[in-house]
């Protein structure tokens, strides 16, 4: 048994004091009414920094600028359009009940709390469900080309963990279309001068003055120039940290640095071990790969998942008769079938592959078969729904999914953990707000499919503009000069770190360290975790981190475009994050959602929670790379959806 003082120490509890009490249906309305307001004339005197231009950051920047604030927006891409939200495929949830199939705001709330394995706040989840209906209206007004039925009404499809159709979609490119809507709203404000857009800039430090977030240190990724940018408040919308695993469905540039710099300055990091493994990704094909490719969960509406009944069956899928196939999701979970939540579908795929029944190279794959759908609907109908996804699959694998089943296998896709925020989306550093995937607030231990886009746009369009205004009502704040001690110190820390990377002059590439770290994380902190494996991983990560600071090779200089320098900073932060993820997974001696401890499972292999011990948010405080983190617990209370054994059978 690992003792807590081996790796971490307990701190005082933490509470969300911003959340209203009373009937859950009216909490958000009452919070909006009690929030302090900033009159339009005063908004022009206030500046807000927004880091990130995905759905959360783009919608937040556009909405705040439309309200009259001066917004300074930063992204490391060459244009806001290239934010990773563009890669989202399947759809966005909203409780519109257009299908008249029993959906409601309350059912979306219930499904999300249950889908998160009862590890999310009820207040936040209900608010998310309630604003979901407004998101669709907003996006339709922007011209987002959602799919429509023959009669012209908006179409819906189903996603995992639900028994209703509430997912709005634009073929297999929903994220791209939603991002273009937010982007055009941003561009309008850029043209009006209310948004100051800074592309190809990376945030490398948070500036905290007298306990409040007042700015950031950024590096121009083209010229290498380092500048300090000041504001009255800072919003982080910098996405998740799945690339700690090296191989994931995230874009290669996705990183944790903005969030981790804030964490090092005092922002608590919540539930870092809650990572989502997506069940429908194209399997890894070799050690040459630098990322993996998602195949949308929407494909499980019409695709059937199966493996051969017999272990080691190497026949082509078309040669295996129906009687010798195991449609294992339909067999084990008859009520939900192929549309069980992602964590359950992923573990089920791993289990059949561990039994020797996996398909493809290395036996790490299962079939996703559309033969029945093509026979029932016709190829043209299937092509209308999923054509771009099928084309993407064929380009990558060389196989035609209309003729032979897709091969899929789970891969890292999303992170439910993130910086701790209260009901107002404010971190433990006053003036630092965190939206979208960068925060932890809405999904618990497992996110339901099509809810990431819902959260990002809900936070940016509807929640943050109200709660940030409540904070800014106390402003405008005193101007912070560039020669202020905190500003000079933050800038010097960035310059010293860059100088250190460039001076090591070792013999190993940054990518080689990142790949090795990712292997450790996947092996010991991936789909299945054990006390022994996590303890081993912590030791391996610490050893590899020490080697990194002695042997990494970063060629070039800091006064130029230098991608190796960019990656070095990101991987250095991944080392510290990876260790905290393993410590968090080690301390949580239960299985819940995407966190599966082999020691805590039911007789039939399902996740086994321990609500009496672990019904809380684990919020971690940073005390230095060589010191133990401190655990602060936020107890979760369930008044409406009472914790029960999560069953999809």
């Amino acid at each position: 048994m690992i003792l807590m003082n081996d790796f971490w120490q307990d701190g005082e509890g933490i509470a969300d004091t911003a959340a209203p009490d009373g009937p859950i249906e009216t909490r958000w309305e009452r919070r909006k009414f009690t929030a302090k307001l900033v009159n339009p004339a005063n908004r022009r005197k206030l500046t807000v920094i927004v880091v990130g231009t995905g759905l959360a950051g783009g919608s937040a920047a556009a909405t705040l600028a439309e309200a009259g604030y001066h917004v300074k927006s930063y992204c490391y891409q060459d244009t806001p359009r290239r934010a990773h939200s563009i890669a989202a495929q399947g759809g966005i949830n909203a409780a519109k009940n257009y299908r008249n199939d029993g959906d409601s705001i309350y059912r979306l709330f219930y499904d999300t709390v249950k889908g998160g394995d009862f590890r999310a706040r009820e207040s936040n989840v209900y608010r998310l469900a309630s604003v979901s209906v407004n998101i669709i209206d907003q996006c339709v007004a922007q011209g987002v080309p959602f799919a429509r039925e023959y009669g012209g009404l908006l179409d819906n499809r189903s996603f995992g963990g639900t028994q209703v159709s509430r997912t709005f979609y634009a073929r297999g490119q929903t994220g791209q279309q939603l991002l273009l809507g937010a982007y055009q709203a941003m561009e309008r404000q850029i043209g009006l001068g209310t948004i100051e857009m800074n592309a190809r800039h990376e945030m490398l430090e948070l500036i905290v003055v007298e306990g409040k977030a007042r700015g950031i240190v950024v590096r121009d990724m083209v010229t290498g120039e380092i500048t300090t940018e000041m504001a009255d408040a800072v919003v982080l919308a910098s996405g998740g940290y799945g690339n700690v695993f090296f191989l994931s469905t995230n874009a290669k540039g996705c990183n944790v640095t903005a969030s981790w710099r804030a964490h090092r300055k005092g922002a608590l990091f919540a539930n870092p071990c809650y990572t989502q493994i997506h069940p429908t990704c194209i399997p890894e094909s070799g050690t040459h790969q630098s990322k993996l490719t998602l195949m949308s969960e929407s494909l499980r509406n019409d695709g059937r998942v199966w493996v051969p009944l017999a272990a080691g069956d190497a026949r082509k899928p078309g040669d295996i008769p129906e009687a010798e196939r195991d449609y294992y999701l339909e067999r084990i979970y008859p009520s939900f079938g192929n549309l069980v939540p992602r964590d359950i579908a992923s573990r089920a795929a791993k289990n059949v592959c561990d039994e020797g029944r996996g398909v493809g190279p290395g036996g790490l794959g299962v079939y996703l078969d559309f033969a029945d759908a093509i026979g029932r609907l016709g190829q043209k109908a299937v092509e209308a729904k999923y054509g771009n996804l099928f084309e993407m699959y064929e380009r990558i694998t060389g196989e035609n999914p209309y003729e032979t089943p897709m091969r899929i296998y789970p891969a890292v896709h999303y992170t439910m953990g993130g910086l701790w925020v209260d009901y107002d989306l404010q971190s433990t550093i006053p003036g630092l707000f965190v939206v979208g995937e960068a925060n932890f607030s809405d999904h618990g231990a497992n996110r339901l499919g099509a809810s990431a886009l819902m959260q990002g746009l809900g936070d940016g369009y509807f929640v943050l503009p109200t709660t940030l205004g409540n904070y800014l009502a106390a402003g405008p704040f005193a101007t912070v000069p560039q020669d202020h001690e905190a500003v000079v110190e933050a800038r010097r820390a960035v310059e010293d770190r860059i100088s250190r990377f460039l001076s090591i002059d070792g013999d190993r590439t940054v990518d080689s360290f990142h790949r090795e770290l990712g292997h450790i994380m996947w092996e010991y902190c991936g789909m299945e975790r054990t006390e022994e494996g996590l303890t081993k991983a912590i030791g391996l990560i610490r050893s590899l981190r020490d080697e990194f600071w002695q042997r990494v090779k970063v060629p070039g200089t800091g006064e130029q475009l230098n991608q190796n320098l960019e990656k070095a900073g990101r991987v250095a932060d991944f080392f510290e994050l990876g260790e905290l993820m393993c410590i968090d997974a080690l301390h949580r001696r239960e299985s819940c959602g995407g966190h599966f401890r082999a020691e805590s499972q039911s007789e039939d292999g399902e996740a086994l929670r321990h609500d009496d011990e672990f019904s809380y948010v684990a919020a971690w405080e940073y005390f230095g790379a060589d010191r133990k983190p401190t655990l602060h617990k936020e107890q979760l209370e369930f008044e409406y959806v009472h914790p029960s054994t999560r069953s999809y059978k």
Side-chain angles (χ1 to χ4, degrees), residues 259-273:
S259 293
W260 199 254
R261 296 292 105 190
H263 176 54
R264 290 173 64 105
K265 282 295 182 73
L268 300 187
F269 207 107
N271 301 332
C273 78

Side-chain angles (χ1 to χ4, degrees), residues 51-57 74 76-77 83-85 235-243 250 253-260 269 413-419 434-440 452 455-456 574 577:
V51 180
T53 57
L55 288 182
Y74 296 85
Y76 64 79
Q77 297 90 348
H84 187 57
S85 297
V235 178
L236 294 187
S238 48
Y241 49 89
N243 272 349
N250 291 181
C254 294
N255 64 84
V256 76
T257 290
S259 293
W260 199 254
F269 207 107
H413 176 61
Y414 186 89
T415 52
M416 284 73 68
L419 292 179
V434 190
V435 294
E437 190 178 356
N439 74 33
F440 87 102
Q455 185 207 352
F574 278 144
L577 167 69

Side-chain angles (χ1 to χ4, degrees), residues 106-283:
Y106 195 90
R107 186 173 295 280
L108 175 53
F109 159 64
Y110 173 86
D111 287 345
T112 304
V113 173
K114 177 185 175 184
D117 219 350
F118 306 96
R119 291 294 177 263
R121 295 180 186 145
E122 285 190 328
S123 293
N124 290 63
V125 176
Y126 193 90
R127 177 176 65 189
L128 177 64
S130 64
V131 303
S132 70
V133 296
N134 300 326
I135 296 170
I136 302 304
D137 295 340
Q138 168 87 2
C139 295
V140 170
Q142 289 176 332
V144 172
F146 286 121
R148 295 180 180 267
E149 296 176 328
Y150 179 77
L153 300 177
L154 294 178
D155 196 12
N156 293 118
R157 56 189 178 197
S158 298
F159 260 59
T162 70
Q163 292 179 307
V164 297
S165 295
R166 65 164 67 103
T167 305
F168 295 78
Y169 65 98
R171 295 188 76 192
Q173 51 186 252
T174 313
Q176 178 181 357
Q177 299 303 326
L178 292 173
L179 185 62
L180 289 174
Y183 171 72
Q184 69 183 18
M186 278 187 72
E187 282 296 303
R188 177 173 179 270
Q189 298 303 319
I190 292 170
L192 292 172
T194 54
I195 292 180
E196 177 187 323
M197 187 65 233
N198 300 278
R200 303 302 296 274
H201 283 72
E202 183 169 23
M203 172 185 162
L204 296 179
E205 190 59 274
L206 178 72
I207 299 173
V208 179
V209 179
E210 298 177 356
K212 294 183 173 68
R214 293 302 307 272
I216 61 176
V217 181
V218 296
R219 178 178 180 270
D220 185 318
M221 296 163 65
V222 177
T223 67
E225 181 184 8
I226 296 170
T227 57
T228 51
E229 307 293 337
M230 311 309 295
D232 296 291
V234 177
V235 178
L236 294 187
S238 48
Y241 49 89
N243 272 349
V244 68
F245 291 89
F246 186 73
L247 287 178
S248 79
T249 64
N250 291 181
K252 286 304 293 178
C254 294
N255 64 84
V256 76
T257 290
S259 293
W260 199 254
R261 296 292 105 190
H263 176 54
R264 290 173 64 105
K265 282 295 182 73
L268 300 187
F269 207 107
N271 301 332
C273 78
Y274 288 167
T275 54
Q276 180 162 89
I277 314 295
H278 199 295
T280 51
C281 302
I282 298 178

Side-chain angles (χ1 to χ4, degrees), residues 470-612:
N470 178 71
Y471 173 80
L472 292 174
F477 305 105
T479 301
V480 179
Q482 291 287 340
D483 60 356
H484 189 283
E485 180 182 2
V487 179
V488 174
E489 180 184 340
R491 178 178 181 135
R492 184 184 301 119
V494 170
E495 293 171 340
D496 291 348
R497 197 163 185 253
I498 289 174
S499 296
R500 186 179 178 189
F501 285 133
L502 295 170
S503 66
I504 296 172
D505 196 27
D507 58 358
R508 283 191 62 177
T509 65
V510 177
D511 279 345
S512 73
F513 280 105
H514 192 182
R515 186 183 291 274
E516 188 173 345
L517 171 64
H519 177 76
I520 294 169
M521 295 300 298
W522 179 251
E523 188 70 21
Y524 302 110
C525 198
M527 276 195 283
E528 183 173 298
R529 301 149 180 193
T530 65
E531 180 179 302
E532 179 184 1
L534 291 165
T535 306
K536 181 178 180 180
I538 293 169
L540 291 173
I541 292 170
R542 289 175 175 176
S543 176
L544 188 63
R545 184 181 67 211
D546 290 342
E547 184 181 347
F548 172 84
W549 286 109
Q550 296 171 9
R551 295 184 56 191
V552 72
K553 175 75 171 180
V554 181
T557 71
E559 291 75 40
Q560 63 180 133
L561 175 65
N562 191 336
Q563 292 186 319
N564 284 290
L565 179 59
E566 297 162 18
K567 289 190 286 187
R570 297 166 187 172
V571 173
D573 290 333
F574 278 144
F575 275 117
E576 295 184 9
L577 167 69
E579 181 178 336
L580 183 62
M581 289 171 64
C582 292
I583 291 173
D584 188 38
L586 183 63
H587 111 276
R588 190 172 283 277
R589 299 184 308 278
E590 66 163 353
S591 295
C592 57
H595 169 63
F596 188 79
R597 283 288 294 268
E599 304 94 336
S600 183
Q601 55 184 303
S602 63
E603 291 182 359
D604 54 356
E606 299 291 351
L608 185 62
R609 296 194 323 270
H610 299 298
D611 295 333
D612 55 332

